[in-house]
């Protein structure tokens, strides 16, 4: 493949034709915005607010060359080879453009873990085919919870933005899942080993499963992400979590809007230094730690998490921490899991607006156990400590009225330093009771009751 070098300028323009020629006109360096079909988006300016993450927002050097992704343009033929060609050609210092008003058909599972120092400017739409047989046979398999993904994104110093759309063609999957719950539905954005990167200004639509799974990642910022997608049939879109983080540190998720049917954001095992802020979530299961401790022999850590300035609408929960109790093998008939070890430590939820949410706050160390006596008789080995809830406002749903929250530890020995203050939340009838189990009630500025309307 010939690369065209232009004078002393470090720019060259390359088409993305696999093994093909350079088909585009020359451009002035470095990455001139251009107009019309050659438009190159500027990088988004990301302002962390209200909190600043521990590490600076990644801002690698400017890119000096542009590759436009070609397309068959017929709306059916797989464009994946063009995508890979452009990524390889513009890797290490380039800017890949998916043109505006253009739909790229993606029908091949692609490994994008080789990316390094690249901007990926998605102005158009990447539409994943609904060939459920192909994807079930070829999607990437992650070790955790049978997660599979359309593609695997990894590497370092990657910036993805552009205002375009990733469309998972979820309807075929929602319908198939209704017929067979054992099918493996791909996650729309599968991240494995991504470092010092930004994903911003994108629309994520109709994911078959979770929208974003963030594994083995560090220092990744998500900003300005719009997530929407519901089923148009009677088969509900299930497990459509906005983000799940796993084995990852220094992840920031902010300034985004999520309309979905499962966790808005969920912190899975080994999520540390995660910052979630300025989100609007509608229809979700809240912003959740866990569930953790389901598997004997595992050691799950979630710590140094800050969640704030979130508005939560039409949800089952606002802030949620779910941990399984202990599971002696003799109890295996009664228990679906539990007994896993680990810790949830230093988690703060500061600033949440509640609107038609079943429980504004729900912390349980009895997750998955229907017998409360057994939960407290076999306290979780997975400890919970240094948890703060403050500045909650709004009105719950009628679901657990007059309760607005539940604070349930399996024992004071494994769960403590839980604080709640400025919880200005009422149920629609005006009640504001909170279920409290094994709490230091002086730390909770709520009115405790000992019935648990929301128990499992
Ligand atoms: C995309 O389509 C819109 C609406 O038709 C048009 O205004 C815009 O100029 C187009 N953009 C490009 C880059 O062709
Ligand atoms: C990626 O960028 C970060 C700064 O954001 C830098 O510290 C790191 O060395 C870069 N990684 C590589 C492999 O160049
Ligand atoms: C993460 O990294 C570990 C260790 O290298 C590896 O075993 C695992 O497959 C990676 N991916 C996921 C999703 O855990
Ligand atoms: C993963 O898939 C296997 C086989 O279908 C199933 O037995 C297992 O329960 C699944 N695990 C999870 C965590 O969903
Ligand atoms: C989480 O971290 C702990 C402590 O380093 C480790 O023992 C455990 O295996 C990790 N779990 C996962 C799923 O990576
Ligand atoms: C809080 O979030 C909203 C969007 O939900 C945003 O408009 C506002 O600027 C954020 N406030 C701060 C202080 O960051
Ligand atoms: C608690 O987590 C915050 C991040 O939310 C971090 O800044 C702080 O240092 C942590 N505190 C401790 C004691 O580790
Ligand atoms: C809960 O478990 C205890 C202890 O095994 C048992 O005595 C009790 O009957 C159980 N309660 C229910 C409702 O099953
Ligand atoms: C709960 O409501 C009562 C009656 O309106 C009020 O006096 C009390 O301050 C409220 N408690 C909290 C924690 O908001």
């Amino acid at each position: 493949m010939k690369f065209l070098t232009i004078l002393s300028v470090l720019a060259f323009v390359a088409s993305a034709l696999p093994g093909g020629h350079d088909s585009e006109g020359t451009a002035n360096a470095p990455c001139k915005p251009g107009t019309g079909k050659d438009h190159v988006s500027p990088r988004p300016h990301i302002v962390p607010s209200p909190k600043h993450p521990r590490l600076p927002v990644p801002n690698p050097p400017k890119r000096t060359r542009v590759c436009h992704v070609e397309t068959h343009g017929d709306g059916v033929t797989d464009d994946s080879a063009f995508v890979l060609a452009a990524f390889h050609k513009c890797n290490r210092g380039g800017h890949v453009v998916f043109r505006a008003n253009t739909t790229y058909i993606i029908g091949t599972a692609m490994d994008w873990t080789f990316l390094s120092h690249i901007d990926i400017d998605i102005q158009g739409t990447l539409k994943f085919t609904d060939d459920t047989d192909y994807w079930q046979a070829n999607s990437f398999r992650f070790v955790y919870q049978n997660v599979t993904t359309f593609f695997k994104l990894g590497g370092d110093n990657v910036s993805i933005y552009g205002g375009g759309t990733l469309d998972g063609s979820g309807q075929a999957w929602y319908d198939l899942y209704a017929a067979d719950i054992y099918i493996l539905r791909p996650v729309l954005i599968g991240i494995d080993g991504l470092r010092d990167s930004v994903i911003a200004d994108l629309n994520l639509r109709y994911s078959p499963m979770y929208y974003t799974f963030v594994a083995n990642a560090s220092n990744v910022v998500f900003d300005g992400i719009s997530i929407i997608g519901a089923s148009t049939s009677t088969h509900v879109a299930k497990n459509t979590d906005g983000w799940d983080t796993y084995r990852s540190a220094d992840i920031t998720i902010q300034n985004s809007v999520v309309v979905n049917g499962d966790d808005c954001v969920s912190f899975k095992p080994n999520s540390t230094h995660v910052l979630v802020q300025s989100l609007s979530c509608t229809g979700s299961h809240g912003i959740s730690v866990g569930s953790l401790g389901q598997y004997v022999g595992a050691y799950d850590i979630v710590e140094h998490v800050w969640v704030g300035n979130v508005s939560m609408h039409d949800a089952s929960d606002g802030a949620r921490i779910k941990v399984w109790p202990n599971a002696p093998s003799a109890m295996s008939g009664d228990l679906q899991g539990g007994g896993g070890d680990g810790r949830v430590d230093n988690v703060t939820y500061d600033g949440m607006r509640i609107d038609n949410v079943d429980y504004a706050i729900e912390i349980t160390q009895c997750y998955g156990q229907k017998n409360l006596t057994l939960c407290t008789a076999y306290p979780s080995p997975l400890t919970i400590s240094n948890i703060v809830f403050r500045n909650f406002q709004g009105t719950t749903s009628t679901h657990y009225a007059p309760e607005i929250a539940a604070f349930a530890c399996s024992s004071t020995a494994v769960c403590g330093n839980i604080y709640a203050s400025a919880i200005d939340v009422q149920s629609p009838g005006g009640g504001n009771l909170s279920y409290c189990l094994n709490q230091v009630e002086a730390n909770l500025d709520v009115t405790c009751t000992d019935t648990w309307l929301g128990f499992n």
Side-chain angles (χ1 to χ4, degrees):
M1 194 173 291
K2 279 194 202 104
F3 283 26
L4 180 62
T5 308
I6 303 164
L7 301 175
S8 58
V9 176
L10 284 172
F12 66 85
V13 175
S15 83
L17 283 170
H21 50 93
D22 297 329
S23 68
E24 301 191 48
T26 56
N28 295 325
C31 290
K32 200 177 159 207
T35 54
K37 73 180 189 59
D38 292 327
H39 175 69
V40 171
S41 305
R43 277 204 191 134
H45 179 56
I46 293 174
V47 181
S49 178
K51 290 272 274 194
H52 207 283
R54 190 166 67 136
L55 302 177
V57 175
N59 188 20
K62 289 277 177 287
R63 307 311 180 196
T64 52
R65 51 204 161 94
V66 178
C67 306
H68 285 91
V69 182
E70 298 304 316
T71 174
H72 294 92
D74 59 6
V76 287
T77 310
D78 185 9
D79 291 317
S80 300
F82 291 132
V83 174
L84 276 179
F87 284 6
H88 280 292
K89 204 160 192 176
C90 255
N91 205 25
R92 294 186 207 88
H95 183 131
V96 172
V97 178
F98 289 86
R99 288 190 170 92
N101 299 340
T102 303
T103 297
Y104 297 82
I105 302 298
I106 309 298
T108 304
M110 285 181 276
D111 185 340
W112 295 342
T113 54
F114 62 87
L115 297 175
S116 180
H117 285 277
I118 186 169
D119 281 31
I120 299 174
D121 178 1
I122 303 176
Q123 300 171 30
T125 296
L126 274 63
K127 187 161 177 62
F128 295 84
T129 61
D130 65 1
D131 183 346
T132 54
D133 292 334
Y134 169 81
W135 289 110
Q136 285 193 86
N138 294 284
S139 57
F140 294 97
R141 290 183 177 225
F142 285 28
V143 285
Y144 183 69
Q145 288 195 339
N146 293 336
V147 165
T148 66
T149 67
F150 282 128
F151 57 82
K152 194 157 71 162
L153 171 65
D156 69 273
N157 296 290
V158 178
S159 305
I160 308 181
Y161 51 88
T165 300
L166 274 68
D167 180 340
S169 301
Q171 190 63 48
W173 295 96
Y174 312 147
D175 293 336
L176 191 62
Y177 183 73
D180 178 4
I181 61 162
Y182 293 106
I183 63 155
L184 298 177
R185 295 160 292 158
V187 165
L188 186 58
I189 297 190
I191 291 176
D192 192 356
L194 185 67
R195 299 177 306 283
D196 302 319
S197 295
V198 169
I199 300 179
D201 292 351
L202 292 175
N203 303 304
L204 310 184
R205 298 287 178 265
Y206 307 106
S207 178
M209 221 237 178
Y210 309 155
Y211 278 84
T212 316
F213 188 68
V214 184
N216 291 335
S218 62
N219 193 24
V220 177
V221 176
F222 295 87
D223 181 275
I225 304 293
S226 155
I227 291 179
I228 307 177
S231 174
T232 54
S233 74
T234 53
H235 307 132
V236 176
K238 295 226 170 100
N239 311 109
T240 52
D241 299 18
W243 285 264
D244 278 19
T245 60
Y246 176 70
R247 302 178 65 135
S248 293
D250 295 293
I251 308 300
T252 297
I253 298 167
Q254 66 165 23
N255 192 26
S256 295
V257 176
V258 179
V259 181
N260 72 343
D262 207 312
D263 293 328
C264 187
V265 183
S266 178
F267 312 107
K268 302 296 189 197
N270 295 9
S271 297
T272 61
H273 290 283
V274 186
L275 173 58
V276 174
Q277 59 187 357
S278 305
L279 292 198
S280 166
C281 308
T282 301
S284 79
H285 295 177
I287 300 198
S288 305
V289 175
S291 71
L292 300 181
Q294 189 171 358
Y295 305 108
V296 175
Y299 194 95
D300 299 339
I301 299 169
V302 173
E303 62 187 5
H304 314 314
V305 171
W306 197 91
V307 178
N309 188 33
V310 169
S311 55
M312 187 63 70
H313 311 271
D314 309 331
S316 67
D317 291 87
R320 188 178 197 194
I321 299 177
K322 33 185 187 176
V323 168
W324 292 73
N326 208 346
S329 52
M331 305 301 173
S332 56
D334 262 332
L335 289 164
Q336 321 299 307
D341 205 342
R343 63 176 182 270
V344 177
D345 185 40
N346 187 24
V347 175
T348 298
Y349 288 89
D350 187 350
M352 193 177 281
R353 292 170 295 282
I354 294 293
D355 160 35
N356 192 31
V357 173
D358 298 346
Y359 267 152
I361 300 168
E362 182 176 15
I363 170 167
T364 176
Q365 237 176 353
C366 297
Y367 189 71
Q369 175 54 272
K370 298 206 183 308
N371 187 325
L372 196 51
T373 310
L374 283 179
C375 174
T376 53
Y378 299 96
S380 178
L382 198 150
T383 60
I384 299 180
S385 55
N386 303 311
I387 313 295
V388 174
F389 304 94
R390 64 174 165 247
N391 299 319
F392 280 58
Q393 286 152 28
T395 308
T396 60
S397 72
T398 55
H399 207 73
Y400 303 128
E403 288 177 15
I404 54 118
F407 300 85
C409 289
S410 50
S411 149
T412 54
V414 293
C415 189
N417 291 336
I418 296 172
Y419 299 89
S421 61
I423 309 299
D424 183 11
V425 175
Q426 283 93 41
S427 60
N432 61 9
L433 298 177
S434 294
Y435 174 69
C436 305
L437 175 66
N438 292 318
Q439 300 299 312
V440 175
E441 293 190 11
N443 291 343
L444 301 178
D445 187 11
V446 299
T447 309
C448 286
T449 168
D450 54 12
T451 13
W452 189 358
L453 295 174
F455 179 55
N456 288 330

